[in-house]
Amino acid sequence: MARSHIRSLAVLSFIVILSLVIIAAPVRLVAAPQDFRWDPAARSYTVTNQSPNNTVLVVNDFRLRNDDTVAGTFAITFPDRPSGWQISTTITSPIAINQATTSAAIPIRIIIPPNTSNGVRTITVRATRTDIASNPTADATIELTIRAPAAGTPPIAACPEIADPGGDFGGAALIRVDRAERHGICTTGDEDWFKFGAVAGKYYSIDIPEMDQGLDLALELYDENRRLVDANDDFPFRGGTQTLTDTRPLILSFRAPVSAYYYVRVRDTLGIGGAELSYTIVVRGESYGPFPPFVSSLCNDIYEQDGLPELARQINQNETQKGRLLCPNGDADWVKFFALSGYTYYLYTNTRPYAGADANGILAGADTILYLFGRDAITLIDSNNNIEGGTTLDSLVRFIPSADGIYYAQVKNVGDIGGMFIKYDLTLKACPVEQPGCAPPAEIFPAPPVASDVPPLGQPVEPLAESTLAPLAESNPAPQAPVAAESSDGETIFALTGNQPIARQIDPALTSIWQRADLPVSSGRTQRAWLWGPAPRLARNEPYAQAENGVRQVLYFDKGRLEINDPRADRNAPVFATSGLLVAEMVMGRVQIGNNEYVPYQPATLPIVGDLDDPAAPTYASFSNLIQAAADRTGLLVTQSLARDGGVSAYAGPARPETRAVQFIGETGHNVPRVFWDYLTSRGTVYEDGAYRAGPLMNWLSVVGYPISEPYWMRVRVGGVERDVLVQLFERRTLTYTPDEKPAWRVQTGNVGQHYYFWRYGKPLP
C-alpha cells in the first residue's frame, strides 16, 4: 500500500509540474470563429458563356470584416475551384485588417475556360487568419450560373471582320441605336469608326459592355464638324459602385444639341490591339428628360479645373469667356485678372444666350452670385446677386482699384445648385479714365451707379512675418510664387511653394485649422515646433467614393493633410474638415479612397524620423507587426529600442523618468508616455476668432488620432549626427522626443505629409 501510495503521489506531481509548464509556456492569442466574417456570406451571379473564348467575371461585392479587438492578417484561398478555372484576388496576401469592425473589399476575378458546359457551379472563398495559432477560417459562397447566349446575340469572335467599320472619320460605318454589334481590333494599331443618328434634346449612351482580355479600349465622340464632344477610357462606376478593375469605357447620357450624325472612334488606349481581339459596342437611346441622369463628364467645361482660388483661370480685359458651367452642385468658378489703378472695371455674368426662345431671356435653374476679392484672394471687396434694374438673375460688380495688381473673382449659383445645363458667359470690361461713357451694353446694365457709390478697395494682405527657429526645427523659406502643375492623370494641382500668405489657400475651413496652431509661430508670437508646417504646401483633389463626383478637396502640409469630404455639410460641425489617417495607411500598406474602400500598396519604407538616406533608421514598414494591442504599462518606463527590420531589443541608454507611461488608451490598446501626453494636452498661444489668446494647442484625437503602436527608442541620423529619439505612431501623426534638443523643440510631430505624398505619388511634395 505504501509503495502504491508513493507511485500515485509521483504521478500526481508529474501532472502538476506538466500543467505548470504548459501554463507558463507562451501561447498565441486564439480568436473565436465569430471574430471575423464575410459580408455577404453568399451571393449568386449569372454569366453568359463566351466560348470559344474565356468567360471573365470580376466580383466586387464581398468584404472581409474583422470584429476582433485587435488587428488581424488573413490569407484568401479558393479550396474547391473547378478544374481549369482561374480564380484569384487582386489584393496581395496576407491582407491586414484593423480591429473593431473594420472591413476590406476583396475583389475576386474568375476566368472560366472555353467550352465549359452551361449549368450551376459553386465556388468557396476561404479566409484564413494567419496571425494566431489555430488559424480559424470563414467561408463565403459564390453560386455561378453559366447560360447560353440569347438568341440574336452577336457572335463572340469578330476577327477577321466581315465588314470593317472604317478606320477614319470619313469611312465611319452606320450603327443603329439599341442594336449591339461585335467588332474587333484585329491587328496592331487598328481602330474603328462608327456614326449614329441622334435626335436633338435626346440622350444617348455609347457603351462597350464586353471586350476580350488584352484590350484596353477608349471611346471618343465627335460631332459632324469633327469637334470632340466627349471621351472616356475607363468607367469604374457601372452599377452605381466603384470597381477599380473594370476598364470598359462608357460615355454616359450624352445629350444631342441638334439632330445630326455623331461619330464614335474606338481604339486601344496604347494602340496595341492585335491578336484578333474583339469587343461589343452598342448605342443606347434614352428619354428626353427633363431631368437627365447626372453625367460628371458633361460638367467639365473647357475652363475646368477652376474650383479653387489657386486654380483661378485668367480672364483678360474686354474678354468674354463663353459656355461656362455651374456643375455639379456646389461648383464654384474662380477667375483672376490684372487691373490698373484708376480704371473702372465691370465683371458680369450673362445667361441670356442659353435661355429658351420663350423664356424671356431667363435660363431655368440659373441665379448667379458674383464675389470680388482683393489681391490676396480672401479680402472681399464687393458682391452682387442680381443686377439692379435688370430683367434676369445675372450678376455684375463694378469697381475702381486703388492699386495695380491681380484680383480674384468667384461665381456661384444661389443655393449651390448645379446642373449640366446651367451655362453662362463671363465678361470683364475695362474702361480707362479717358472714356467716361464706357459701360456694358444697356440690356446688361441699364442703370450703372455713379463712382461715389463704389466702396473703396480693401488693403492688400501683407506677407506674414517669420520666426527664427531652433537648429533642429524646420526652416521657414521666404515667400515664393505658387506653382501650377499637372498630375499624371491630367488633373491640375496647385503647389504652394515656400511659405505663402494664408489667403491663397483652399477652403477657409482648412485655413482656420492651420491658423489656429501655427499662425502664432509664423507671426513670431510664440516659439514652438510646427503642428502643421510653416504654410500649406499643395492643394488638389483626390478620389473618394462617397464624395460628390467621386473626389474630395485635400490640402497637404509638411506634417499632415486636411480634407473636406462634403463641402455642403454643416461647416460648423467638428468633422467638416478632417485630418487624414496617413500614418495608419503607410503602416498597413493601403490607400483609403472611401469610407470603407482601399487600394493596396506596400507599407512605406521611408525613415520615420531623421535623414531620409539613413540606411539603419526604422521605417513605417518596421511597425507592420507591432500594431497589435499591448498590456497596460502605466507607471513603467520606455525601455525598448526598435531596429529597421522590426526587431525589438532593450534600450541601452539612460533611464528617463519623463518616458514613464501615464495613459493607457483602451480603444487601441497602447500606452502613452508622459512626455507625449503633456504635449497632446498642452496649452499655449493660439489664434481664434481673429485674435491671439491662450488655449489648448489642439484636440489631440482629431489632429493626432489614437496611438497604433507602443513608444520605442531609435538610434537615427539627424542632420548627419546620430541621436537617440523616442518615437510613437498614432493614426494621423508620429510624435518624436529628442532629449538633447532645446526644450521648445524636444517634442515634435514628424513630417508625415511629406512622407505620405512621396509614398503615394512617387515624387516629393512640391
Side-chain angles (χ1 to χ4, degrees):
M1 290 294 293
R3 183 175 301 171
S4 174
H5 182 67
I6 293 173
R7 185 183 298 114
S8 298
L9 289 175
V11 172
L12 180 60
S13 300
F14 176 76
I15 293 174
V16 171
I17 293 171
L18 181 60
S19 300
L20 291 174
V21 171
I22 293 174
I23 293 172
V27 296
R28 301 170 71 191
L29 178 64
V30 178
Q34 67 272 18
D35 283 345
F36 65 98
R37 54 191 169 88
W38 288 99
D39 183 15
R43 184 146 290 184
S44 299
Y45 302 90
T46 300
V47 296
T48 301
N49 198 326
Q50 303 294 318
S51 294
N53 297 318
N54 288 332
T55 302
V56 180
L57 174 67
V58 178
V59 176
N60 294 282
D61 300 326
F62 287 92
R63 304 188 69 86
L64 184 60
R65 184 174 297 277
N66 182 15
D67 294 329
D68 200 353
T69 57
V70 297
T73 57
F74 304 86
I76 309 300
T77 57
F78 307 92
D80 58 352
R81 76 182 71 194
S83 176
W85 288 33
Q86 301 177 44
I87 309 176
S88 61
T89 178
T90 58
I91 300 180
T92 304
S93 189
I95 300 165
I97 304 179
N98 208 346
Q99 67 273 17
T101 68
T102 302
S103 64
I106 310 296
I108 300 167
R109 181 183 290 271
I110 303 171
I111 302 177
I112 305 170
N115 304 317
T116 298
S117 60
N118 298 328
V120 179
R121 307 289 196 283
T122 300
I123 299 169
T124 300
V125 185
R126 177 164 296 166
T128 303
R129 185 161 180 178
T130 59
D131 62 317
I132 57 179
S134 60
N135 298 128
T137 62
D139 289 350
T141 301
I142 298 175
E143 185 179 88
L144 191 58
T145 301
I146 306 172
R147 67 183 181 187
T153 301
I156 296 303
C159 293
E161 292 179 289
I162 298 175
D164 189 86
D168 55 31
F169 186 93
L174 179 65
I175 183 172
R176 300 191 183 279
V177 175
D178 293 323
R179 182 173 179 177
E181 294 187 11
R182 191 76 180 179
H183 292 277
I185 305 295
C186 300
T187 59
T188 300
D190 185 20
E191 63 182 44
D192 293 339
W193 283 82
F194 304 89
K195 64 180 180 181
F196 66 95
V199 179
K202 198 169 183 179
Y203 293 85
Y204 299 86
S205 291
I206 302 95
D207 190 13
I208 303 291
E210 296 176 340
M211 66 183 183
D212 288 346
Q213 282 190 293
L215 286 179
D216 184 3
L217 297 182
L219 290 171
E220 296 168 5
L221 179 65
Y222 296 83
D223 64 11
E224 287 185 313
N225 297 315
R226 305 193 182 203
R227 292 176 300 195
L228 181 65
V229 177
D230 203 350
N232 182 256
D233 180 4
D234 304 329
F235 191 85
F237 293 96
R238 292 174 186 267
T241 58
Q242 188 174 25
T243 308
L244 299 177
T245 56
D246 193 342
T247 61
R248 295 170 297 166
L250 168 65
I251 295 177
L252 181 65
S253 297
F254 154 72
R255 185 193 192 194
V258 296
S259 296
Y261 281 117
Y262 292 86
Y263 294 76
V264 180
R265 180 190 184 197
V266 183
R267 62 180 179 86
D268 188 75
T269 303
L270 297 177
I272 299 175
E276 298 189 344
L277 300 174
S278 57
Y279 64 92
T280 299
I281 183 172
V282 61
V283 178
R284 297 189 177 94
E286 300 171 4
S287 68
Y288 285 92
F291 301 105
F294 172 73
V295 184
S296 60
S297 58
L298 295 183
C299 277
N300 292 328
D301 57 36
I302 62 174
Y303 308 100
E304 297 291 348
Q305 301 285 335
D306 61 350
L308 305 172
E310 303 84 19
L311 305 178
R313 294 294 180 178
Q314 179 81 28
I315 184 171
N316 300 313
Q317 61 183 19
N318 301 316
E319 176 189 3
T320 297
Q321 295 183 348
K322 297 185 176 182
R324 282 184 162 273
L325 278 170
L326 287 171
C327 181
N329 290 341
D331 186 27
D333 293 344
W334 282 83
V335 295
K336 61 183 178 181
F337 55 92
F338 184 81
L340 288 172
S341 172
Y343 275 41
T344 300
Y345 291 88
Y346 299 88
L347 184 67
Y348 57 90
T349 63
N350 183 13
T351 58
R352 290 177 179 83
Y354 309 102
D358 58 348
N360 296 321
I362 298 177
L363 177 64
D367 185 0
T368 60
I369 305 177
L370 182 59
Y371 299 93
L372 178 67
F373 295 92
R375 293 176 295 169
D376 57 4
I378 202 169
T379 302
L380 183 64
I381 298 175
D382 200 358
S383 66
N384 178 255
N385 182 6
N386 301 323
I387 300 175
E388 183 179 355
T391 59
T392 69
L393 301 180
D394 295 324
S395 311
L396 180 147
V397 168
R398 175 183 184 270
F399 77 110
I400 303 174
S402 61
D404 298 352
I406 293 178
Y407 295 85
Y408 293 79
Q410 181 196 54
V411 182
K412 294 177 69 69
N413 208 35
V414 168
D416 273 340
I417 296 172
M420 295 178 287
F421 308 111
I422 299 180
K423 287 188 175 182
Y424 69 97
D425 297 341
L426 184 65
T427 300
L428 175 66
K429 186 170 185 62
C431 297
V433 178
E434 298 81 7
Q435 301 177 14
C438 176
E443 66 270 16
I444 297 291
F445 191 31
V450 295
S452 59
D453 295 335
V454 179
L457 175 69
Q459 294 299 315
V461 172
E462 296 296 330
L464 299 174
E466 305 301 331
S467 59
T468 303
L469 303 182
L472 190 59
E474 301 84 346
S475 62
N476 289 331
Q480 303 174 27
V483 179
E486 189 170 274
S487 67
S488 58
D489 57 4
E491 177 193 15
T492 302
I493 59 179
F494 202 85
L496 303 160
T497 58
N499 189 4
Q500 296 295 321
I502 60 173
R504 291 183 180 268
Q505 310 315 318
I506 193 174
D507 193 291
L510 305 183
T511 303
S512 63
I513 294 175
W514 174 84
Q515 283 182 310
R516 186 184 184 281
D518 286 342
L519 186 58
V521 180
S522 181
S523 63
R525 295 265 179 165
T526 188
Q527 287 202 352
R528 61 174 178 242
W530 302 108
L531 185 60
W532 296 96
R537 291 287 297 271
L538 181 138
R540 66 173 295 154
N541 291 336
E542 289 182 342
Y544 203 77
Q546 285 72 36
E548 187 173 39
N549 210 23
V551 295
R552 65 178 176 181
Q553 299 179 12
V554 301
L555 186 61
Y556 278 92
F557 301 82
D558 287 334
K559 297 180 175 295
R561 183 189 71 195
L562 287 171
E563 57 226 12
I564 296 176
N565 295 336
D566 183 2
R568 295 185 297 161
D570 181 4
R571 300 183 66 86
N572 296 318
V575 296
F576 177 75
T578 56
S579 177
L581 300 166
L582 307 189
V583 177
E585 292 183 29
M586 287 190 286
V587 172
M588 300 180 70
R590 61 182 191 179
V591 171
Q592 187 169 9
I593 58 169
N595 293 345
N596 295 292
E597 289 78 27
Y598 301 90
V599 175
Y601 273 55
Q602 291 296 323
T605 55
L606 296 167
I608 291 174
V609 63
D611 300 345
L612 291 178
D613 60 351
D614 185 354
T619 68
Y620 295 90
S622 305
F623 281 85
S624 295
N625 296 319
L626 299 174
I627 59 176
Q628 294 84 359
D632 187 341
R633 294 176 51 84
T634 301
L636 301 179
L637 299 178
V638 178
T639 58
Q640 292 184 316
S641 180
L642 181 67
R644 188 183 182 95
D645 62 2
V648 177
S649 59
Y651 174 54
R656 299 187 180 274
E658 66 271 25
T659 68
R660 193 178 308 277
V662 295
Q663 287 289 329
F664 179 73
I665 308 300
E667 286 79 0
T668 53
H670 289 292
N671 299 274
V672 180
R674 174 172 297 282
V675 67
F676 288 157
W677 187 251
D678 287 348
Y679 174 74
L680 295 175
T681 58
S682 63
R683 297 175 60 86
T685 302
V686 296
Y687 184 79
E688 287 182 329
D689 301 324
Y692 295 97
R693 64 188 65 191
L697 178 61
M698 72 183 95
N699 179 328
W700 68 269
L701 190 57
S702 62
V703 174
V704 178
Y706 289 119
I708 60 173
S709 80
E710 290 295 288
Y712 294 96
W713 287 102
M714 299 178 182
R715 188 68 176 173
V716 297
R717 196 173 65 217
V718 181
V721 178
E722 286 197 348
R723 310 173 82 164
D724 283 343
V725 180
L726 183 68
V727 176
Q728 185 167 17
L729 271 55
F730 294 73
E731 293 171 310
R732 311 173 195 276
R733 298 293 189 93
T734 60
L735 292 185
T736 66
Y737 169 61
T738 309
D740 57 355
E741 185 53 82
K742 292 185 177 180
W745 290 274
R746 285 178 183 168
V747 176
Q748 299 190 36
T749 60
N751 291 327
V752 167
Q754 293 183 15
H755 296 169
Y756 180 89
Y757 193 88
F758 189 89
W759 171 68
R760 179 166 178 172
Y761 295 106
K763 54 187 177 183
L765 183 62

